[in-house]
Amino acid sequence: MKKYFITTAKTTLILVYLVIVAGALVRMTGSGMGCPDWPKCFGYYIPPTDVKELTWSSNREFEEDQVIIKDDKLLVAITDFKTGKEFDLKYWRPYTKHDYAIFNPTQTWIEYLNRLVGALAGLSIIIMAVFSLNFWKENKKITLLSAAAVLMMGFQGWLGARVVYSVLNPVKITLHMIVALIIVGVLLYIINTAKEAKAGVKDDLQFKKLLLTAMILTVFQIVLGTQVRQYVDDQVKILGYNQMHLVLDSPILNFYIHRSFSILILSLNVFLWLRNRKLHLGFNKMNWAMLLIVIEILSGAVMYYFDFPFASQPIHLIIASLLFGCQFYLFLETRAQNSYQQ
């Protein structure tokens, strides 16, 4: 089973990134409340496709915990029963987590697919943890980190529920994204630890320190970006999609900080890229990091100057998370090389 571990870990990493992609799609389409309850969706394991399924009618069978929308409120069935000719409140209880009671089938299924990918990632991470038991005698760190990754994924699921119950509280959304990046980092660390140290790269203390700084700045940028994104979402609710050119007329301070930091991050990574080439350090992933930074800056410019064209926001977020993963793995390679030389 040991030979399947790295493959399973890489599969899990891909699925976690797909969760980030799905989450970005959810935010782009405003589908965060597509399923107002958790872990089910309107009380169903497979969500409804028509509002009729959420509407009370006579002589219809309901199961416990299924949801209807009545008088702009969510009601939850308290038992299995069949309706009579008249609505009887004694079979229902009000949904008390929040008062959001809107059904949009497209948004519901987008959010459902987001949860489905999350469930697949959770299953994959459990399988990875089982396979990691074969490393217990050889390297306990791999087994322990794999178990920690399972716990973090469980926490991420719990946090996802809190996001829904809070009706998309901005702080909880930001924390949700940070935890996703932490999970990415742990998986990359596990993969790197399970592999042999890479030969052919050189140890350079300055490169390592500046790379760590660049990675921290990237995380800071992502956090700022989620706050700017929340401001944009709020403005869109006020102005409407036909007024996108007005969204950033009077932006918050974090927008200016976010934009200015991109110049600092670009400069720092250009320096790292040049140092890697000049000293022949052998960190080939630095090329990927530079490419991702260029795409990230271009996507940000496109959003600002072309009034947020379709898919530009999720692309911006996805590239940022890929950049973090690339930088983190580069940092792990510098540490692994140091251990290899010792």
Side-chain angles (χ1 to χ4, degrees):
M1 294 175 70
K2 189 182 293 186
K3 64 180 180 180
Y4 298 117
F5 175 77
I6 291 181
T7 300
T8 305
K10 289 180 178 179
T11 301
T12 303
L13 178 64
I14 292 171
L15 286 171
V16 169
Y17 266 113
L18 285 177
V19 172
I20 294 174
V21 171
L25 180 62
V26 166
R27 293 206 68 184
M28 180 186 75
T29 56
S31 303
M33 293 302 294
C35 294
D37 49 338
W38 193 95
K40 294 182 180 180
C41 189
F42 288 102
Y44 293 85
Y45 285 109
I46 299 178
T49 58
D50 193 294
V51 71
K52 292 180 180 179
E53 298 176 66
L54 302 174
T55 304
W56 184 91
S57 60
S58 60
N59 298 316
R60 177 183 167 188
E61 292 185 354
F62 283 95
E63 296 180 4
E64 184 178 358
D65 292 332
Q66 285 186 339
V67 176
I68 62 169
I69 300 176
K70 187 170 178 59
D71 300 326
D72 295 324
K73 294 181 180 179
L74 296 177
L75 297 178
V76 184
I78 60 176
T79 186
D80 297 350
F81 73 101
K82 184 175 182 179
T83 60
K85 291 184 179 180
E86 300 291 334
F87 176 79
D88 192 342
L89 187 59
K90 72 179 182 180
Y91 292 108
W92 303 93
R93 62 176 174 83
Y95 188 77
T96 57
K97 299 290 186 180
H98 55 73
D99 58 359
Y100 187 92
I102 298 174
F103 174 68
N104 180 311
T106 301
Q107 292 182 350
T108 292
W109 275 85
I110 290 174
E111 170 60 16
Y112 174 72
L113 290 175
N114 176 39
R115 296 185 185 187
L116 185 61
V117 175
L120 289 174
L123 177 61
S124 182
I125 213 166
I126 291 172
I127 294 172
M128 181 193 76
V130 172
F131 286 167
S132 74
L133 295 174
N134 292 278
F135 286 90
W136 181 250
K137 293 182 179 179
E138 177 184 333
N139 192 336
K140 290 181 175 61
K141 185 187 294 184
I142 293 174
T143 305
L144 293 173
L145 283 173
S146 297
V150 173
L151 294 176
M152 281 187 283
M153 186 63 81
F155 175 74
Q156 182 73 329
W158 174 85
L159 188 57
R162 303 280 81 73
V163 170
V164 173
Y165 296 155
S166 68
V167 193
L168 311 182
N169 177 274
V171 175
K172 290 183 172 64
I173 290 174
T174 300
L175 183 58
H176 199 49
M177 183 64 198
I178 292 172
V179 174
L181 294 179
I182 292 173
I183 293 172
V184 166
V186 170
L187 290 173
L188 287 171
Y189 189 92
I190 290 170
I191 293 169
N192 182 264
T193 304
K195 293 170 64 177
E196 294 291 332
K198 180 182 176 182
V201 294
K202 300 177 182 178
D203 185 39
D204 183 77
L205 184 59
Q206 185 178 7
F207 183 88
K208 184 189 301 184
K209 289 181 177 179
L210 290 176
L211 179 60
L212 177 60
T213 302
M215 184 174 62
I216 292 172
L217 289 176
T218 296
V219 174
F220 182 67
Q221 272 290 76
I222 292 173
V223 171
L224 282 176
T226 59
Q227 294 173 356
V228 173
R229 174 63 190 272
Q230 187 60 47
Y231 171 79
V232 170
D233 290 347
D234 292 341
Q235 289 294 100
V236 170
K237 290 178 184 178
I238 297 171
L239 299 171
Y241 286 100
N242 60 335
Q243 300 289 328
M244 293 299 290
H245 61 286
L246 300 176
V247 166
L248 290 177
D249 261 11
S250 301
I252 56 176
L253 176 62
N254 284 347
F255 167 77
Y256 295 108
I257 299 174
H258 183 66
R259 186 173 63 179
S260 299
F261 256 67
S262 63
I263 300 172
L264 176 60
I265 290 174
L266 175 62
S267 302
L268 183 55
N269 280 274
V270 167
F271 179 83
L272 286 167
W273 181 74
L274 291 173
R275 186 172 182 83
N276 181 55
R277 286 175 60 88
K278 180 180 178 180
L279 301 181
H280 304 288
L281 299 179
F283 295 105
N284 295 327
K285 291 183 181 64
M286 198 62 230
N287 295 328
W288 284 103
M290 280 304 306
L291 177 62
L292 290 170
I293 288 170
V294 170
I295 297 173
E296 181 74 350
I297 291 176
L298 287 175
S299 64
V302 166
M303 284 191 293
Y304 182 73
Y305 291 107
F306 295 95
D307 304 327
F308 301 90
F310 180 77
S312 59
Q313 288 177 295
I315 288 173
H316 195 63
L317 175 62
I318 292 163
I319 295 300
S321 62
L322 287 171
L323 174 60
F324 166 78
C326 185
Q327 289 176 326
F328 188 72
Y329 200 80
L330 270 167
F331 182 70
L332 291 176
E333 283 187 342
T334 66
R335 288 170 56 86
Q337 176 59 17
N338 195 37
S339 300
Y340 180 77
Q341 289 179 344
Q342 290 175 359

